[in-house]
Amino acid sequence: MAAPAPRRDDAPEPSFADLLAQRPALSTDALAGLMMEEVPLARIAQAVGTPTWVYSAGTLRRRARALCDALREAGLDATVHFATKSNPNLAVVALLAGEGLGADVVSEGELRAARAAGVPASGIVFSGVGKTEREMRLAIAEDILQLNLESAEEAEMLDALARSLGRRARVALRVNPDVDARTHAKITTGLTENKFGVPIALAPALYARLCAMEGLEVVGLATHIGSQITQGVSSYAAAYARLGSLVRELRAQGLPVERVDCGGGLGIPYRDEIPASPAALAGTIKAGLGDAGVKLMLEPGRWIAGPAGVLLSRVVIEKQSAGRRFVILDAAMNDLLRPAMYEAWHGILPVSPAAFHAPQTPADVVGPVCESSDTFAKGRNLPALPPASLVAFLDAGAYGASMSSTYNARPLAAEVMVNGSDWSVVRERQGYEQLLAGQRIPGWITRPGEAR
Ligand code: LLP
């Protein structure tokens, strides 16, 4: 088992001011309350309703540029492919494509989203352990940059399909370097016990086999060791050193290795974590692979999109029960799943200017879904939040909307993007008609009041 990232539950919670200081797109205005860029969040809630995801275009741009700059400044020949799973909203992907980012996709839906957002096929990488034949067919038809293969079985399937179509599919072999990313066990991927990639010891023989397959054009290697990596760069360093030796070994066998996809995983501070910087990551890539003579690729999701988004929600009601204070919101685990699924900590800020400086008492912040796991925070210090007060969950731009469901028949929330003083709805709130659409009651089910 991977050791979970150490939790610092005993460390004092960051104050509202601490949280704001670290998040340049957010500020408080004495009259308008919490703002994203130049737009009061209350205005968006008023116009669009709640719950609503709100993304900062400025933050997305700034972070995409910071990452690309760090790679360039380290002298690396690298391309960045945004992990679409973290936020597949078309406006987000299109904005990042405009910054020159490609896309990392893991399904037909994500491939279609990336293309619809304007990502060129030549910038798309298809990852994932279970690509279906239909997905492979689409990837071949679109002539995407590469498919990252996860097993010999998958290679054989793709080879046969490509040959039957008279094509060659560009592929990289995803290697599992067996390093512990020291993150949450549910999001570590680079250990032998995980389902991802092929064990590094078996890679040389398999790579040679792949190179002999007529339907494949083998372009290199890929890896991804885990997500929300916050314990420095040592896990990355170990993985890239292993990949570097593998590149040399394959080349010594006369096999071509043009590029290495270094995966994603760079963590962000949700609470008080101090993750490595893009510059530190770039330096680590350089140390492991800089002299391997390969083109490099990166597949970050969270680092770019996470800090760019908030989830806006309204208080339905507060209740006191058995000495505990419960703040019940109109957002729930079906919207933001991370606290229920990973016990993730997200900052929660009140939106109203008065609430920002009001006295605080501990509260359990919960949603209305009928599960105890529908709890966003326990014992969080918050001011009094009368019904209809607004709160914002921070760092909800990655694995937020993308992990939502309609559990409890709750429609998917709206999504908005702020750009300076301007803002636009980038996904309408799902309507109840859409929620029920596509379902059928067969004629052989007798409804109440109908004759049997
Ligand atoms: N590449 C591959 C092959 C991946 O599997 C992932 C994420 C990424 C790139 C992007 O990783 P990132 O840079 O975003 O860490 N739902 C979880 C995270 C799951 C990550 C899955 N794979 C969460 O909310 O924390």
Side-chain angles (χ1 to χ4, degrees):
M1 278 294 286
R7 295 173 51 95
R8 306 223 206 130
D9 285 350
D10 49 343
E13 279 181 1
S15 66
F16 293 166
D18 292 340
L19 290 170
L20 269 188
Q22 305 249 336
R23 289 158 180 84
L26 298 176
S27 61
T28 46
D29 178 89
L31 290 177
L34 192 61
M35 318 259 296
M36 180 181 277
E37 302 192 12
E38 292 153 49
V39 180
L41 288 171
R43 192 188 297 161
I44 293 173
Q46 181 73 39
V48 183
T50 51
T52 291
W53 306 92
V54 191
Y55 310 126
S56 152
T59 305
L60 289 168
R61 270 188 219 109
R62 197 159 26 80
R63 296 183 76 85
R65 287 176 195 172
L67 201 54
C68 295
D69 289 350
L71 294 166
R72 196 171 324 108
E73 280 158 21
L76 298 174
D77 178 10
T79 51
V80 178
H81 304 262
F82 176 60
T84 314
K85 64 170 80 74
S86 67
N87 192 326
N89 185 285
L90 296 187
V92 170
V93 181
L95 181 145
L96 296 174
E99 293 296 320
L101 270 56
D104 165 59
V105 304
V106 293
S107 67
E108 175 169 351
E110 286 190 359
L111 176 48
R112 288 182 184 277
R115 295 292 289 126
V119 181
S122 60
I124 298 179
V125 184
F126 203 133
S127 304
V129 286
K131 301 172 206 80
T132 62
E133 186 183 311
R134 184 187 150 108
E135 287 170 330
M136 290 177 173
R137 236 175 235 284
L138 180 65
I140 294 173
E142 291 270 335
D143 197 20
I144 65 165
L145 177 64
Q146 72 189 48
L147 291 102
N148 290 349
L149 291 177
E150 301 250 359
S151 64
E153 294 84 341
E154 195 184 32
E156 275 157 21
M157 182 174 156
L158 181 63
D159 172 51
L161 178 65
R163 279 188 289 116
S164 75
L165 296 169
R167 299 280 296 273
R168 291 182 87 197
R170 268 183 302 275
V171 299
L173 180 62
R174 176 162 173 186
V175 172
N176 185 329
D178 196 22
V179 301
D180 184 353
R182 293 186 290 158
T183 181
H184 192 289
K186 284 189 184 168
I187 50 176
T188 192
T189 50
L191 285 169
T192 307
E193 68 193 43
N194 302 131
K195 67 182 175 182
F196 300 98
V198 299
I200 194 153
L202 307 180
L206 181 55
Y207 197 90
R209 255 179 79 194
L210 260 51
C211 290
M213 292 184 183
E214 252 170 62
L216 305 184
E217 179 190 343
V218 185
V219 296
L221 298 168
T223 196
H224 171 76
I225 57 173
S227 194
Q228 182 55 5
I229 297 171
T230 54
Q231 310 282 300
V233 289
S234 56
S235 311
Y236 279 124
Y240 299 149
R242 285 177 199 178
L243 279 231
S245 332
L246 180 57
V247 171
R248 284 184 283 278
E249 189 181 337
L250 296 172
R251 290 241 176 93
Q253 286 181 41
L255 301 170
V257 190
E258 274 168 48
R259 47 191 188 240
V260 174
D261 179 345
C262 297
L266 195 56
I268 58 169
Y270 285 98
R271 182 174 169 165
D272 50 10
E273 304 89 333
I274 306 175
S277 65
L281 177 61
T284 308
I285 296 176
K286 188 171 183 167
L289 292 157
D291 59 6
V294 286
K295 287 202 174 99
L296 296 161
M297 299 160 63
L298 220 58
E299 303 169 350
R302 186 191 322 262
W303 195 87
I304 292 174
V310 302
L311 173 63
L312 260 185
S313 174
R314 269 192 205 281
V315 174
V316 176
I317 202 163
E318 279 211 27
K319 88 171 209 180
Q320 303 288 331
S321 179
R324 292 190 84 84
R325 172 185 172 208
F326 290 94
V327 176
I328 304 168
L329 301 179
D330 67 358
M333 65 188 287
N334 72 294
D335 302 300
L336 179 62
L337 181 59
R338 304 192 69 256
M341 186 140 171
Y342 315 114
E343 294 173 337
W345 193 98
H346 281 261
I348 304 173
L349 291 181
V351 171
S352 117
F356 223 78
H357 302 288
Q360 303 180 352
T361 57
D364 288 4
V365 183
V366 304
V369 160
C370 305
E371 296 217 22
S372 297
S373 58
D374 187 21
T375 297
F376 293 118
K378 278 188 182 269
R380 186 71 61 90
N381 287 320
L382 288 170
L385 290 165
S389 307
L390 289 166
V391 296
F393 286 91
L394 306 183
D395 309 311
Y399 308 108
S402 69
M403 291 177 76
S404 293
S405 74
T406 57
Y407 186 39
N408 277 214
R410 292 167 47 84
L412 295 175
E415 294 171 65
V416 162
M417 191 179 283
V418 170
N419 187 35
S421 56
D422 214 0
W423 62 274
S424 309
V425 173
V426 292
R427 182 185 188 130
E428 284 174 20
R429 185 177 308 288
Q430 190 177 36
Y432 285 99
E433 271 179 22
Q434 287 169 288
L435 183 74
L436 302 181
Q439 302 186 64
R440 306 271 184 280
I441 301 176
W444 44 264
I445 294 178
T446 318
R447 303 217 227 175
E450 279 179 5
R452 280 183 187 269

